[in-house]
Amino acid sequence: MIISALLTAVGLNLLFTVLLFALYSILRKQPGNLSIYVPRLLASDGGTQTRAHFNIDNILPSVGWVRAAWQPSEEDLLASSGLDGVVFMRIFVFCLRVFSVAGILGILVLVPVNYLGDQLNNIDFSDLPNKSIDLFSISNVDDGSNRLWFHFSAAYVITAFVCYLLYNEYRYLSTKRLAHFMTSKPMPHHFTILVRGIPVRGGASISSTVERFFMDYYPSTYLSHVVVRQTSKLRHLINDAENAYRRLTHLKSIPRATQNGGSSAGTGGFLGLFRKKDPVILYTKKLEDLEENVRLHQSEVNMAGEEIPAAFVCFKSRFGAASCINMPQSDNPTEWVTEPAPEPRDVYWPFFSTSFMQRWISKFIVFVASIFLIIIFLLVAAFIQGLTYLEQLEIWLPFLKNILEIAVVSQLITGYLPSLLLHLLSSQIPPLMKLFSTMQGFIANSDIEKSACGKMLWFTIWSVFFANVLTGSVTSELQIFLDPKNIPAMLAVVVPGQASFFIAYVVTSWTSVSSELTQTMALLSHIFSCPCSRKESNGKINVPSISYHSEIPRILLFSLLGLTYFILAPIILPFILVYFCIGYIIYRNQLLFVYTPKYDTGGRFWPIVHNTTIFSLVLMHIILIGIFGLKKLPLASSLILPLPILTLLFNEYCNKRFLPVFRAYSAEALIKKDREGENNPEMTDFYEKLVTAYHDPALMPLRRSFTSNDRHSPLLS
């Protein structure tokens, strides 16, 4: 029954995946006047030419886009998506290398060894259909059998291979990060720091206090500063103005006869007494009033607005800015607190309006809310996991007993529905985690996404992996961690039993990663909000950016599943390898032709990937200690013990060797870069732009075109 359910899931997902690939191939070749959600593609291709005649090629799928995504080099990807895009694709490269070798060992060595065992002879054959996956797992190997040494050797081989690849990737990306910095143009955030906790004494303003402090202590390197001001009310006014402008633009694009119910403007009502006012005139007046209010508030903020004890301080050299960051500025550690400034486009301005105490309280609230969310999801996952057991489902929902007796229905419910529901529920969590991270007080969008990525990672591991493992066949699931000595033995019992569920989960993911190609939800939203008949060929398209905080944890979950089940149930490895192959070409296409980066952290997501892979290896070792103990091979259990210790020591070495490169650039690199720019005549222009680089966008002047032919000009500069 389990294998039948898995085959059903594989067939359905292969069908959906092929259909999505065909849909994208068709959409990619449509004429330029058809509204499709591939903005970077349209921009890079210059927009395909509009054809007035029918062309059969436009409705036939092709794989030309695969070649277009495969051919560009890593340098092209770096130019298109930044170093973060390169790191993201290196995750796929790393996983493909790991699971190619793991797949060869698992399928050619471990699967035959498992299948030739006869441990299941001790189990009632009447229950054999429900244990069919176990025939290919370590559960089928006899207790105390010498064949278990194949699994022992495979554990050492895959651990050594993964650590070797991790070291090479860490070294390669750290070198890439330094090379990218050394060849980059002068960037404002390399010369700028953020100062918080500015003390104000004697009635002086924050601006004068900052200038006096840095002129006294950094007279040779200090350039200028920008004090952060309270602009929350002004930002609300600007949002209202932007909404009114978008509404006015939409009204101007609609024929006047349509706006007035088929009559000319201003001719409605009874005998001309009750005429409806022209909505264009109403919104024009509303927009003018909002613009005037915005200008007045901007003047008030600039003249006597509330200053926040924070400022962006600019220096004449990169080394000057870095030296200010890396040492305390005051005897009181809560004053003159310095940190690296993000890119100007990366600054998250709204949170500057909160105080230190508000940030501290919000961090505590977010911590409690995150734990509460995980607990709620654990309960939901427990219910979903119960769908894999028909007996339990019949107890919960007795009125479905007759329906569940149908073979096809039971196969879909037990093999496909649980993993599909888990995917749908998990997709709703990333926005919540990003909201939680926003509340914590980060002043950069990249920091918000990095924090959300960490939250999503732990949420995914606990709520998808451990929740489904612990809600399987044991009655006291949560008690497993109350006695640390029993953790390996308990995990050795419950983890292999969920192999069939996670295989179905991986197979279901083929469809989800394929839907990334067509941007299915965004495509439907775009079609319904901007019908093809009304959309102008030169309409403005909002280019999306990739959500690293949701995509990286998803990839790392499959890496964890692959490493965990490599020894236990290696039959899962081909399905995981297919996922990474599909994901590699799809995300490469998206990064090159669809997404555009909103920021670049310089590859700082890689340490998260490295640490999570180390965690996956150690988890595999802990489970193996329990497995060999249950299989009555205590010598193998004892000899596995050095593996997690050596793996953690390797991780500590990598963190000491490479992690500092991802946290800050060395003095050697900064001084070399500063010396290169000493005789560069372009530095004068750069310093002039640097002075205004960190001005709050809410204080920038409004710009609006009053001509009807330029409706797509931006409201704000």
Side-chain angles (χ1 to χ4, degrees):
M1 181 179 292
I2 293 179
I3 286 202
S4 300
L6 289 177
L7 291 177
T8 303
V10 170
L12 287 173
N13 282 279
L14 279 176
L15 177 61
F16 292 154
T17 302
V18 171
L19 289 176
L20 288 172
F21 271 68
L23 176 62
Y24 178 74
S25 298
I26 293 173
L27 289 178
R28 195 177 189 274
K29 300 192 298 177
Q30 292 301 318
N33 62 340
L34 181 62
S35 170
I36 60 176
Y37 204 72
V38 279
R40 280 280 297 279
L41 174 65
L42 292 177
S44 62
D45 291 345
T48 52
Q49 295 180 354
T50 303
R51 300 182 180 94
H53 61 280
F54 174 78
N55 191 333
I56 190 65
D57 290 339
N58 289 336
I59 60 174
L60 294 177
S62 68
V63 293
W65 64 270
V66 176
R67 183 174 61 255
W70 181 277
Q71 287 180 343
S73 64
E74 192 174 85
E75 294 302 320
D76 297 327
L77 184 62
L78 178 64
S80 175
S81 301
L83 197 55
D84 288 337
V86 172
V87 167
F88 185 74
M89 292 311 304
R90 295 297 297 189
I91 301 175
F92 281 98
V93 173
F94 169 77
C95 292
L96 285 171
R97 291 173 177 172
V98 169
F99 293 109
S100 295
V101 173
I104 293 173
L105 289 176
I107 300 301
L108 299 183
V109 179
L110 299 184
V111 167
V113 169
N114 295 338
Y115 186 75
L116 293 175
D118 54 3
Q119 182 69 28
L120 290 181
N121 289 336
N122 299 325
I123 300 177
D124 186 4
F125 276 98
S126 63
D127 195 39
L128 190 58
N130 292 325
K131 301 290 184 180
S132 55
I133 289 296
D134 292 343
L135 290 172
F136 304 96
S137 71
I138 197 173
S139 302
N140 195 37
V141 181
D142 297 336
D143 292 346
S145 172
N146 287 329
R147 292 177 179 176
L148 290 171
W149 290 105
F150 284 99
H151 302 79
F152 173 86
S153 302
Y156 266 89
V157 170
I158 199 63
T159 300
F161 184 66
V162 171
C163 290
Y164 170 76
L165 290 182
L166 280 175
Y167 179 82
N168 284 341
E169 289 295 327
Y170 225 150
R171 182 178 61 181
Y172 174 78
L173 290 174
S174 61
T175 304
K176 195 81 174 177
R177 174 175 162 85
L178 288 174
H180 180 64
F181 171 73
M182 296 303 296
T183 57
S184 64
K185 296 181 179 180
M187 304 293 290
H189 60 285
H190 293 158
F191 294 79
T192 309
I193 67 170
L194 174 64
V195 183
R196 297 201 198 191
I198 301 172
V200 179
R201 300 180 179 89
S205 66
I206 294 178
S207 180
S208 60
T209 301
V210 172
E211 184 173 7
R212 182 171 60 254
F213 180 87
F214 285 95
M215 286 297 292
D216 287 344
Y217 296 106
Y218 297 91
S220 60
T221 57
Y222 168 73
L223 179 63
S224 65
H225 72 276
V226 176
V227 175
V228 182
R229 297 178 180 271
Q230 178 68 266
T231 58
S232 57
K233 295 181 180 179
L234 180 59
R235 198 170 286 109
H236 288 307
L237 283 175
I238 292 176
N239 290 335
D240 292 340
E242 288 178 338
N243 293 333
Y245 183 67
R246 282 192 291 267
R247 178 61 178 166
L248 180 60
T249 302
H250 175 68
L251 289 172
K252 287 184 177 181
S253 65
I254 301 175
R256 302 297 291 273
T258 304
Q259 295 180 24
N260 296 278
S263 60
S264 59
T267 60
F270 176 72
L271 299 177
L273 298 177
F274 303 99
R275 297 179 179 177
K276 294 182 180 179
K277 293 185 179 180
D278 190 344
V280 174
I281 297 176
L282 289 176
Y283 273 94
T284 300
K285 181 64 169 63
K286 180 180 179 179
L287 180 59
E288 290 175 354
D289 293 340
L290 286 171
E291 285 181 336
E292 185 62 26
N293 288 335
V294 168
R295 294 188 185 96
L296 290 175
H297 278 79
Q298 284 179 338
S299 300
E300 293 175 0
V301 171
N302 284 322
M303 295 296 295
E306 180 181 348
E307 292 181 328
I308 298 173
F312 289 100
V313 180
C314 304
F315 291 81
K316 299 176 183 178
S317 67
R318 300 171 183 84
F319 181 75
S323 60
C324 186
I325 294 172
N326 294 324
M327 66 176 65
Q329 302 300 311
S330 173
D331 295 333
N332 184 349
T334 63
E335 296 180 351
W336 299 104
V337 180
T338 59
E339 59 184 280
E343 294 180 86
R345 61 176 179 171
D346 190 22
V347 178
Y348 184 72
W349 293 97
F351 209 85
F352 278 111
S353 59
T354 58
S355 64
F356 172 81
M357 183 58 65
Q358 288 174 323
R359 293 197 302 272
W360 186 85
I361 294 174
S362 65
K363 288 181 180 180
F364 177 75
I365 294 174
V366 165
F367 176 76
V368 175
S370 299
I371 295 177
F372 182 74
L373 182 63
I374 291 177
I375 294 174
I376 294 297
F377 201 90
L378 285 174
L379 298 177
V380 176
F383 173 78
I384 292 175
Q385 184 61 31
L387 298 177
T388 60
Y389 301 95
L390 284 181
E391 299 83 2
Q392 190 171 358
L393 188 59
E394 290 175 356
I395 295 175
W396 290 348
L397 305 172
F399 58 89
L400 295 178
K401 185 175 181 179
N402 294 331
I403 299 177
L404 294 176
E405 292 177 354
I406 303 174
V408 176
V409 175
S410 62
Q411 289 175 7
L412 286 175
I413 291 178
T414 58
Y416 186 75
L417 184 60
S419 58
L420 179 62
L421 290 176
L422 194 60
H423 271 293
L424 293 177
L425 288 174
S426 300
S427 65
Q428 306 303 316
I429 302 301
L432 285 176
M433 291 303 183
K434 190 171 183 179
L435 176 63
F436 288 168
S437 296
T438 302
M439 295 169 56
Q440 284 188 264
F442 296 104
I443 54 91
N445 291 296
S446 58
D447 290 336
I448 291 173
E449 288 218 8
K450 282 173 57 184
S451 175
C453 181
K455 292 182 179 65
M456 273 300 303
L457 191 58
W458 286 110
F459 176 87
T460 303
I461 292 174
W462 280 101
S463 299
V464 177
F465 181 76
F466 283 114
N468 288 280
V469 162
L470 299 180
T471 55
S473 58
V474 294
T475 56
S476 55
E477 299 89 351
L478 297 180
Q479 295 180 357
I480 186 174
F481 294 103
L482 298 181
D483 189 359
K485 295 181 180 179
N486 291 332
I487 289 179
M490 295 297 291
L491 289 177
V493 172
V494 297
V495 173
Q498 300 304 314
S500 59
F501 172 80
F502 284 118
I503 291 175
Y505 184 81
V506 173
V507 171
T508 309
S509 302
W510 296 353
T511 303
S512 63
V513 74
S514 300
S515 64
E516 166 68 28
L517 187 68
T518 56
Q519 296 280 299
T520 308
M521 297 305 297
L523 175 63
L524 294 176
S525 175
H526 190 64
I527 289 175
F528 286 117
S529 62
C530 301
C532 299
S533 59
R534 295 184 181 181
K535 182 176 174 62
E536 299 180 6
S537 59
N538 62 344
K540 184 180 179 180
I541 298 177
N542 293 323
V543 182
S545 61
I546 188 169
S547 299
Y548 291 115
H549 71 285
S550 61
E551 302 304 326
I552 291 178
R554 186 197 309 180
I555 299 170
L556 294 179
L557 172 65
F558 294 116
S559 175
L560 181 143
L561 291 177
L563 291 175
T564 303
Y565 281 95
F566 164 65
I567 302 294
L568 306 180
I571 196 69
I572 197 177
L573 296 176
F575 301 99
I576 290 180
L577 196 57
V578 169
Y579 171 83
F580 284 120
C581 290
I582 295 175
Y584 175 80
I585 194 64
I586 287 178
Y587 281 105
R588 190 174 175 87
N589 176 82
Q590 301 300 88
L591 289 173
L592 287 168
F593 302 121
V594 177
Y595 294 131
T596 186
K598 291 185 178 180
Y599 59 82
D600 188 16
T601 67
R604 290 183 178 177
F605 284 99
W606 180 256
I608 298 176
V609 179
H610 177 91
N611 293 332
T612 306
T613 306
I614 294 294
F615 172 82
S616 302
L617 286 175
V618 173
L619 179 62
M620 179 187 73
H621 301 152
I622 293 174
I623 295 174
L624 285 179
I625 292 173
I627 284 285
F628 290 130
L630 292 177
K631 287 293 183 180
K632 300 178 182 179
L633 199 66
L635 179 59
S637 258
S638 301
L639 294 178
I640 283 288
L641 282 174
L643 262 186
I645 298 174
L646 293 174
T647 303
L648 292 175
L649 289 175
F650 165 77
N651 182 53
E652 184 66 18
Y653 169 76
C654 288
N655 287 335
K656 295 292 186 182
R657 171 63 179 84
F658 300 113
L659 188 57
V661 178
F662 287 83
R663 288 178 174 170
Y665 296 108
S666 65
E668 179 183 4
L670 293 172
I671 294 173
K672 284 182 178 179
K673 194 66 177 172
D674 286 335
R675 287 175 178 173
E676 290 178 3
E678 288 179 354
N679 299 322
N680 189 351
E682 297 179 357
M683 290 302 296
T684 303
D685 294 335
F686 171 76
Y687 288 139
E688 293 177 357
K689 296 178 181 178
L690 180 60
V691 173
T692 59
Y694 286 92
H695 281 182
D696 193 335
L699 298 176
M700 300 297 287
L702 293 173
R703 293 180 183 176
R704 184 176 69 86
S705 175
F706 290 93
T707 61
S708 59
N709 294 328
D710 192 17
R711 292 194 301 269
H712 299 283
S713 60
L715 175 66
L716 299 177
S717 61

